Amino acid sequence: MISTSSITAGKPFHENDGQLVLAHVLFAFAALLLGGIAGLLQAMVRGGTITLPHGIGYYQLLTAHGVLMALIFTTYFIIGFLYGGVAKTTGRLLPTTLALGWTGFLLMSMGTAVGTVFILLNKATVLYTFYAPMKASPYFYVALALVVVGSWLSGYGIFYQYNYWRKTHPGERSPLFSFMSVVTMLLWQVATLGVAAEVLIQLIPWSFGWVDTINVLLSRTLFWYFGHPLVYFWLLPAYICWYVVIPKVIGGRIYSDALARLSFLLLFVFSIPVGFHHQLMEPGISQFWKFLQVALTLMVVVPSLMTAFSLFATFELAGRAKGVRGVFGWLKVLPWNDVRFFAPFMGMLIFIPAGAGGVINASYQLDEVVHNTLWITGHFHLTVATSVALTFFGIAYWLIPAVTNRRLTPRLNKLGLWQTWIWVIGMFFMSGSMHTVGLLGAPRRTAYTTYGDNAQASGWIPYEVVMAIGGMILFVGVLLMIYNIYALLQAPAGYEEFPIGEELDGAEPTPKLFERWGVWLGISVVLIFVAYTIPVVEMIQTGVGSPGYKTW
């Protein structure tokens, strides 16, 4: 079966479309560099290897690292990548789509600039979770609101382009990449309603002094309503690469269009009403509602396993089509020397222990052991900083040449392979030591301390030194990635493929129900109301207000 996306997949990128994509991608990697500098200093301080000069605080660096890398780098790259794929699979971006995309980019950039300035001025040292009752400058919260609103406009641009394609192609199945892009941005639109409500209704009035206190439990609940779907906002674009791009790169076919769409819809439905599993140790939330959301959390294992099955079926079928036999014979013919495959594949591989760690974190009794320890930080770095980041790096090596009409040269491909290995090795040391010392009780979100030469805390020091070594190796990976981005922009002119896979012949047809958006949005809304309505009403009625505190 020939996918409709193949109609435009072989054409050079239009300049206007490429400029929008490139602006987002370059902004993302600028944020990666700044966030990487903050992360390096943070890791060295936590490892006890350096002392920061007066005027620069550990928690200030922690905030900058979290905001720039976890929120800004990911959001910009995702939007750029999605716009690129939508343009390639539905045709040139429409004027309205471009206008929404650029307006969103400008608003997000204004918000990022203002927010970063206030972090650097040490007026917003509240970490990327911006937990109340720590109070930042009101202009930091205004900046966050601009970032959210800008991202909404970018999402509307993708929705507009997709809707136009469907109107002009009645009865046709939409391109898989575009369908997945819509699911990703729809998840973002619904999830950010929580953080938007927190920022606009609670944090901004409180930080300006218009109200004296803030309902802390409600504030944290609204954040985690957004905070866990944020993880899937990071992961879904990586899944798009794994499902749609990688089959083309390895010379295979997409195993099943229907299975891919269903996995995305299930992730959309089950990834939002699950925030309480981040609040299992919080008082004020009844055990029943925590149990319900833990059960919903574990439901996301199903589409994740569907994804693993589909991917490895694609690998095996591609190998058998090339004549290899045996249970693992297909491993021999995968393009290990192609960074477009190798970097995302390492992300896939590392997602196996990362996903297992997520099941531990969401299990009540096990979470009691690891909650607020460095285990959680190690898990976070395996998911977003390894599985997601490596996939994004792998995408960048072909996306930037594709939108600038340049070529990925053999030299740049080799540098990309080196950068991938550096990242994997650095993360092995850093995340591995975080997981281990977390099990020994070392807390997260704290600067270096011996706790008065306490014997138990002294036992953590060797692991924290290894964390610092891993952070240094990772920073080398950041610098090499930034150099590679620059080199890609200077690469020889030519044509680089925007790889869009085609479905396997004889695959099961895709049900039309999968594109009835009202059904899936309705199911999501029902689950959200069931999971949150009663607990939130109770928080509003019984929540305790707190004044703001500045602890830095």
Side-chain angles (χ1 to χ4, degrees):
M1 178 182 294
I2 301 297
S3 167
T4 50
S5 64
S6 63
I7 296 173
T8 59
K11 297 180 181 179
F13 233 86
H14 190 273
E15 183 179 2
N16 291 343
D17 301 348
Q19 287 174 348
L20 180 62
V21 174
L22 188 63
H24 282 87
V25 172
L26 294 184
F27 198 106
F29 281 102
L32 178 76
L33 176 60
L34 294 176
I37 294 171
L40 171 66
L41 296 174
Q42 178 196 338
M44 295 177 72
V45 171
R46 180 62 192 252
T49 57
I50 65 168
T51 300
L52 292 171
H54 179 71
I56 302 178
Y58 173 84
Y59 301 100
Q60 181 183 7
L61 293 174
L62 179 53
T63 303
H65 176 66
V67 170
L68 289 171
M69 297 194 85
L71 294 178
I72 302 305
F73 165 68
T74 54
T75 302
Y76 273 85
F77 188 89
I78 289 167
I79 292 174
F81 174 50
L82 298 186
Y83 266 108
V86 168
K88 209 62 181 172
T89 56
T90 64
R92 282 183 54 184
L93 297 179
L94 300 166
T96 300
T97 305
L98 287 169
L100 288 167
W102 278 114
T103 305
F105 175 82
L106 292 174
L107 283 177
M108 289 172 58
S109 301
M110 289 171 54
T112 300
V114 172
T116 302
V117 166
F118 278 90
I119 293 171
L120 296 178
L121 291 175
N122 204 24
K123 294 184 178 181
T125 304
V126 290
L127 314 191
Y128 100 97
T129 50
F130 39 91
Y131 264 5
M134 292 192 296
K135 183 192 286 188
S137 164
Y139 300 104
F140 173 72
Y141 299 125
V142 171
L144 291 176
L146 287 174
V147 173
V148 172
V149 172
S151 69
W152 285 349
L153 294 177
S154 297
Y156 298 154
I158 290 173
F159 299 155
Y160 183 87
Q161 183 82 11
Y162 170 83
N163 189 54
Y164 178 83
W165 188 95
R166 291 194 69 192
K167 285 183 177 179
T168 55
H169 296 76
E172 293 186 37
R173 185 181 68 194
S174 65
L176 181 58
F177 193 114
S178 295
F179 172 90
M180 290 176 160
S181 299
V182 169
V183 175
T184 302
M185 292 311 295
L186 190 61
L187 170 68
W188 177 255
Q189 302 279 341
V190 176
T192 48
L193 292 175
V195 75
E198 179 195 8
V199 169
L200 295 175
I201 298 174
Q202 287 190 290
L203 294 175
I204 288 178
W206 174 63
S207 60
F208 272 114
W210 301 338
V211 296
D212 295 327
T213 62
I214 188 170
N215 185 328
V216 173
L217 181 58
L218 178 61
S219 174
R220 294 183 180 186
T221 297
L222 289 173
F223 176 85
W224 284 117
Y225 166 93
F226 153 80
H228 192 75
L230 173 64
V231 175
Y232 289 94
F233 176 66
W234 296 328
L235 279 170
L236 288 182
Y239 279 15
I240 294 175
C241 175
W242 300 352
Y243 269 115
V244 181
V245 173
I246 294 301
K248 183 70 171 181
V249 171
I250 67 173
R253 295 289 189 97
I254 298 170
Y255 176 72
S256 170
D257 179 280
L259 184 66
R261 292 179 196 249
L262 180 59
S263 69
F264 265 59
L265 291 170
L266 292 179
L267 285 167
F268 168 67
V269 167
F270 289 117
S271 66
I272 299 177
V274 297
F276 284 169
H277 87 243
H278 288 269
Q279 299 174 270
L280 292 177
M281 300 297 111
E282 292 254 15
I285 304 171
S286 75
Q287 302 303 308
F288 171 79
W289 297 110
K290 291 178 180 177
F291 172 79
L292 174 65
Q293 294 207 19
V294 165
L296 290 172
T297 300
L298 296 178
M299 289 298 295
V300 301
V301 174
V302 176
S304 295
L305 291 176
M306 291 166 58
T307 299
F309 170 80
S310 179
L311 293 173
F312 284 93
T314 297
F315 295 155
E316 182 172 358
L317 290 171
R320 293 192 181 279
K322 295 175 182 178
V324 298
R325 295 293 179 265
V327 177
F328 297 107
W330 49 272
L331 284 169
K332 300 176 183 178
V333 296
L334 291 176
W336 300 108
N337 291 323
D338 187 339
V339 70
R340 301 176 303 163
F341 165 76
F342 182 66
F345 181 85
M346 294 305 292
M348 296 179 207
L349 194 64
I350 293 170
F351 191 60
I352 297 173
V359 173
I360 291 170
N361 301 342
S363 303
Y364 193 94
Q365 291 85 352
L366 296 176
D367 185 64
E368 287 183 308
V369 177
V370 300
H371 190 80
N372 268 343
T373 71
L374 274 169
W375 166 284
I376 303 297
T377 313
H379 165 73
F380 186 84
H381 281 81
L382 278 190
T383 50
V384 62
T386 309
S387 294
V388 171
L390 282 177
T391 302
F392 288 2
F393 295 164
I395 292 169
Y397 286 110
W398 56 260
L399 179 61
I400 292 175
V403 301
T404 57
N405 295 315
R406 298 183 182 276
R407 292 187 294 107
L408 173 62
T409 63
R411 175 178 172 272
L412 284 172
N413 180 75
K414 188 174 183 179
L415 285 173
L417 295 173
W418 277 106
Q419 192 273 337
T420 302
W421 276 118
I422 290 171
W423 198 267
V424 170
I425 293 168
M427 198 59 72
F428 173 79
F429 284 110
M430 190 173 80
S431 180
S433 58
M434 284 177 172
H435 277 88
T436 304
V437 78
L439 291 175
L440 299 177
R444 61 175 175 153
R445 292 173 166 164
T446 58
Y448 174 79
T449 176
T450 62
Y451 293 92
D453 295 325
N454 177 273
Q456 181 180 1
S458 297
W460 302 335
I461 294 175
Y463 297 97
E464 294 177 336
V465 171
V466 174
M467 283 167 42
I469 293 171
M472 296 176 196
I473 296 172
L474 284 166
F475 187 66
V476 173
V478 170
L479 293 179
L480 182 54
M481 189 69 215
I482 297 301
Y483 171 78
N484 290 345
I485 296 298
Y486 169 79
L488 288 169
L489 295 172
Q490 306 301 316
Y495 172 77
E496 186 67 38
E497 180 186 33
F498 193 115
I500 300 291
E502 299 175 0
E503 189 180 16
L504 191 70
D505 292 333
E508 290 292 323
T510 302
K512 292 184 178 180
L513 176 64
F514 290 175
E515 294 200 73
R516 293 178 181 171
W517 297 102
V519 173
W520 300 100
L521 187 59
I523 293 172
S524 178
V525 169
V526 168
L527 286 176
I528 291 169
F529 271 98
V530 169
Y532 277 106
T533 301
I534 294 177
V536 168
V537 169
E538 291 177 349
M539 291 174 196
I540 293 172
Q541 292 176 339
T542 63
V544 176
S546 172
Y549 294 93
K550 183 177 178 180
T551 58
W552 61 92

